[in-house]
Each structure stands twice: as structure tokens, then as C-alpha cells.
Amino acid sequence: MTRLSIAQELESAAERVADMSSADLQIILRRAALMLRNVASVSLEPATEDALNSIAAEMKIARADLIRIVLREWLENQRLPAGSDGDEESETDGSA
């Protein structure tokens, strides 16, 4: 289950809590607790934290959204050009 699906399930349960059995409510709450326990945080240097918070405030977006944007763009820029397998020698094989 994803965090979004668990959040939706919790919201749904909150709307119909009087109609839910204790066992069903217990299952939903345990899933949510497990998801929260498994959320990993990344420790950053204070200067990096300050820079992220400052840029996020300037862009008027959440810090987590900024981190996702930066990471996605960095990963996109690390890809090799289409059709390249990283072996430059293959282009000159047999021409020596």
C-alpha cells in the first residue's frame, strides 16, 4: 500500500467510524503506524537545510516538494544520451 492509499483509507474510516468493526479499525491503524515507522528521513548539513528551506520559501513550495524536484532533475541529467551504452570504443571498432 502507498501512503496515499493509506491516507485515503484513514479518511474513509474517519467518516464511517461508527459503522466499522473494531477489528477493521485496528487493521487500518496498524497499517498507518507501520507506514509511519518506515518513513525514512535524510539528515542534511545545517547549511544545506538552510538553503533548502530558503529556496522552498522563495518558490512558495514545500521543502519535500523542492527535494523531489531537485532529485528528479538531477537524475534526469545523469542519464546517458539515448542509444548510448556508455562504451565509446564501440563507435570506432573495426576502423583502426
Side-chain angles (χ1 to χ4, degrees):
M1 293 192 99
T2 66
R3 281 186 281 164
L4 180 60
S5 65
I6 287 180
Q8 290 169 338
E9 193 173 353
L10 286 169
E11 288 171 345
S12 175
E15 292 171 2
R16 55 188 175 85
V17 69
D19 301 329
M20 293 188 69
S21 71
S22 295
D24 288 342
L25 189 55
Q26 188 176 29
I27 290 168
I28 293 170
L29 291 173
R30 285 187 183 193
R31 284 182 188 160
L34 180 62
M35 182 68 72
L36 289 172
R37 268 195 300 271
N38 289 334
V39 171
S41 63
V42 177
S43 297
L44 301 172
E45 297 173 359
T48 304
E49 288 280 353
D50 291 344
L52 280 172
N53 292 333
S54 176
I55 294 168
E58 185 178 310
M59 294 176 68
K60 296 181 177 146
I61 61 174
R63 180 181 173 275
D65 292 336
L66 176 62
I67 291 171
R68 277 191 285 277
I69 291 166
V70 169
L71 185 57
R72 182 183 62 237
E73 289 182 6
W74 180 80
L75 287 170
E76 287 172 355
N77 290 328
Q78 297 305 308
R79 291 190 184 147
L80 294 172
S84 173
D85 61 1
D87 185 1
E88 294 179 17
E89 289 182 290
S90 63
E91 295 176 12
T92 59
D93 284 353
S95 62

